Amino acid sequence: MNNTAAVILAAGKGTRMRSKTPKVLHKVAGKPLVWHVINAAQGAGVKEVVVVVGHGAEGVKNTLGEGIKFALQSEQLGTAHAVMQAKDVLSPEIENVMVLCGDTPLLEAVTLEKLIQTHLAKKAACTILSAQVTNPTGYGRIIRGDGGKVLKIVEEKDADESQKAIKEINSGTYCFTKNELFKALAKITPDNAQGEYYLTDVISVLSDDNLGVFSCIADNPKEIQGVNDRVHLAAAEKVLRMRKNIALMQNGVTLIDPDTTYIDYDVEIGPDTTIYPFTLLQGDVTIGADCEIGPSTTLKNTSVGENTTITRSVVIDSNIGSGCSVGPFAYLRPGTVLRQDVKIGDFVEVKKSDIDDGSKVPHLSYIGDSTIGKNVNVGAGTITCNYDGKNKWPTVIEDGAFIGSNTNLVAPVKVGKNSVIGAGSTITKDIPQNSLAIARQKQKNILDWKKKNKKECRDL
Ligand code: UD1
Ligand code: CA
């Protein structure tokens, strides 16, 4: 029975980030560092997750939300001390505890699964996820004795020259038998170069008692790379984005240039959709099949149906249906709903508006707080005047209406079904259905005006 919990250490400040945000909340591929660690642990099948929080505890708790337990380490006295805080939070039935650091976002679920399986198969007291690296600087070194028995871990700052030469390093991820872990933790002292309670000292306590300590060497040492500063953050970002891009391409999405396509971790895209360069898909984005997105397009928290084209545009918190065409150079702000076969053309801004099937706003318009019916044509330069300086007011345009170019719709106002507005009108009153509304000055033609003097013309 796999009764394993994950304890994730995330109480440290992350001084080297030089940030007011706790390190583990810095994002890669649109998700906090610690979120990726939790995701990998859950993917490996752990029964529960306990995150040890300290620095910026409230922020970390609020960000991670439900389904996760928290333990508070109010003073950061070291990794062993951090794990101790989780003792009473773990459910009694938990038998094994996998400990991870909140700043290693590249760990994959399969690697953690292998660690747990190795631990269970060997009936070990502790199994360390280690790695063979060319440059071990900064990491704890795995010290082995006769027959390769793991004896202890020595931290960089406590290591002598021969120990520093060892290339097998501690990833900071381990699987422990719960009872042995907490018994050993009670024996740890802060008697070392940093004056901290080192979790790594648990290894020598267990090994000295001849309780089984093993290591599971990671197939890919890059996975264990931690994030300590913003250079590491950018490196992790690159790796995670490329993993996401590869997964999408393997699922039938064409990325013209994966190196310049920035897709967050949770984004879903249907097959035969093409994403052009310099496109950012951020947060909760879903795109259906057969779409063309980009180049130079940003979609944030937006859903897109099938067969839709979005070119050189910015779309935020919106829903776009199937068969739509957006851009180039459109700006769809929060609350925009485009149903089917809607066209939004160049230099059009839409905010908090619902535009129904087959309608078109092809050029140079502002549509705000509006409800537009089916098969409506909004002429170039149409503006909904939705704001009177104090309040926002709605505009309703019913099915089949035709709005002439350069119309101002002074809200609140309603345009009835199949009505037509003459170009250049400023509409302040509701228009009944099947009507023509013209609201502009009548044209005067002054004949022979060149012959008249200027004053006479000014008085007209
Ligand atoms: C640790 C290991 C080292 C390993 C390395 C891998 C120890 C003593 N050393 O070193 O062997 O090679 O990870 O990356 O464990 N934290 C707390 N509370 C604390 C101290 C730390 O929650 O009191 C958290 C940090 O937020 C961080 C994690 O524990 O997420 C690791 O701490 P850090 O100080 O980065 O340890 P390293 O020096 O990297
Ligand atoms: Ca670290």
Side-chain angles (χ1 to χ4, degrees):
M1 216 355 216
N2 176 13
N3 249 336
T4 306
V7 170
I8 299 175
L9 309 185
K13 186 172 178 203
T15 315
R16 283 169 286 174
M17 295 298 283
R18 295 178 182 270
S19 174
K20 57 186 176 304
T21 305
K23 174 163 80 177
V24 295
L25 291 188
H26 280 263
K27 289 181 178 176
V28 283
K31 292 281 185 187
L33 292 172
V34 64
W35 182 94
H36 290 282
V37 181
I38 294 170
N39 189 45
Q42 286 173 334
V46 298
K47 280 277 164 63
E48 68 181 16
V49 173
V50 178
V51 177
V52 181
V53 291
H55 261 283
E58 281 316 302
V60 178
K61 281 188 190 174
N62 293 339
T63 306
L64 298 179
E66 282 159 30
I68 286 159
K69 291 179 160 186
F70 294 97
L72 182 68
Q73 186 195 26
S74 33
E75 238 187 316
Q76 283 70 60
L77 302 178
T79 45
H81 179 257
V83 175
M84 273 193 262
Q85 312 311 308
K87 187 178 178 196
D88 297 330
V89 180
L90 287 163
S91 298
E93 66 272 18
I94 292 298
E95 290 168 4
N96 299 290
V97 177
M98 178 162 64
V99 176
L100 305 106
C101 296
D103 61 358
T104 51
L106 303 180
L107 278 172
E108 294 206 62
V110 283
T111 305
L112 300 180
E113 215 177 318
K114 195 175 142 198
L115 173 69
I116 295 170
Q117 290 315 324
T118 307
H119 180 75
L120 296 177
K122 299 223 176 208
K123 296 191 166 46
C126 172
T127 310
I128 306 160
L129 180 67
S130 71
Q132 295 284 357
V133 295
T134 42
N135 178 10
T137 311
Y139 289 100
R141 311 294 205 280
I142 310 283
I143 312 293
R144 292 177 183 266
D146 294 343
K149 182 177 187 274
V150 175
L151 298 179
K152 60 180 176 178
I153 296 173
V154 175
E155 290 304 292
E156 168 97 18
K157 286 184 179 147
D158 302 289
D160 60 33
E161 286 313 308
S162 69
Q163 290 168 331
K164 278 185 183 162
I166 294 170
K167 298 256 160 62
E168 188 186 3
I169 56 113
N170 170 26
S171 71
T173 304
Y174 329 73
C175 202
F176 295 98
T177 304
K178 185 173 89 174
N179 290 340
E180 302 304 344
L181 168 65
F182 288 106
K183 265 193 264 170
L185 279 172
K187 298 180 186 166
I188 306 297
T189 58
D191 186 15
N192 52 56
Q194 301 187 80
E196 285 183 8
Y197 292 88
Y198 286 169
L199 177 60
T200 43
D201 285 351
V202 165
I203 310 306
S204 56
V205 172
L206 296 174
S207 184
D208 290 352
D209 284 353
N210 272 322
L211 295 160
V213 178
F214 300 95
S215 83
C216 170
I217 301 176
D219 296 330
N220 176 6
K222 288 204 174 101
E223 264 184 55
I224 59 115
Q225 209 104 59
V227 171
N228 292 320
D229 59 31
R230 298 200 200 219
V231 177
H232 299 150
L233 189 72
E237 177 88 23
K238 225 176 192 147
V239 173
L240 277 174
R241 289 213 179 277
M242 197 47 80
R243 268 190 211 164
K244 175 72 184 177
N245 287 349
I246 288 169
L248 287 168
M249 291 187 280
Q250 283 168 341
N251 280 330
V253 178
T254 295
L255 304 183
I256 299 295
D257 181 13
D259 286 336
T260 58
T261 306
Y262 307 87
I263 303 179
D264 280 359
Y265 201 85
D266 275 350
V267 173
E268 289 172 23
I269 307 179
D272 287 324
T273 283
T274 300
I275 311 289
Y276 290 90
F278 304 108
T279 293
L280 285 80
L281 306 178
Q282 301 178 315
D284 187 7
V285 170
T286 318
I287 299 170
D290 301 309
C291 292
E292 300 216 349
I293 310 292
S296 303
T297 290
T298 298
L299 305 186
K300 193 171 181 181
N301 302 327
T302 287
S303 69
V304 179
E306 299 189 345
N307 248 308
T308 283
T309 302
I310 307 176
T311 309
R312 297 183 196 272
S313 293
V314 175
V315 183
I316 298 166
D317 298 348
S318 295
N319 294 312
I320 299 177
S322 294
C324 294
S325 158
V326 175
F329 311 110
Y331 182 24
L332 306 189
R333 291 168 52 202
T336 296
V337 177
L338 308 184
R339 306 215 173 239
Q340 293 220 4
D341 304 316
V342 173
K343 177 179 167 66
I344 300 294
D346 50 280
F347 306 105
V348 172
E349 175 176 338
V350 182
K351 185 216 83 175
K352 211 174 168 187
S353 294
D354 188 322
I355 304 181
D356 211 339
D357 299 357
S359 288
K360 295 185 168 74
V361 189
H363 351 255
L364 301 158
S365 292
Y366 171 60
I367 304 296
D369 303 296
S370 303
T371 307
I372 298 182
K374 294 185 170 58
N375 301 314
V376 168
N377 196 307
V378 177
T382 295
I383 304 292
T384 55
C385 310
N386 60 328
Y387 186 47
D388 61 10
K390 234 179 177 179
N391 295 304
K392 301 277 168 74
W393 298 100
T395 298
V396 176
I397 304 174
E398 292 185 342
D399 296 353
F402 183 96
I403 315 297
S405 293
N406 200 30
T407 292
N408 301 310
L409 295 158
V410 182
V413 74
K414 180 171 158 183
V415 181
K417 224 171 163 178
N418 296 322
S419 282
V420 174
I421 298 175
S425 293
T426 294
I427 301 296
T428 53
K429 289 187 285 198
D430 288 357
I431 303 169
Q433 58 181 29
N434 300 316
S435 314
L436 168 67
I438 305 177
R440 62 176 187 237
Q441 273 217 318
K442 260 201 161 162
Q443 184 171 331
K444 279 183 197 165
N445 289 338
I446 293 128
L447 303 177
D448 298 327
W449 78 275
K450 273 191 171 172
K451 290 183 188 160
K452 298 184 178 171
N453 69 36
K454 274 189 181 163
K455 179 163 182 325
E456 202 180 326
C457 285
R458 220 178 289 135
D459 290 343
L460 285 168

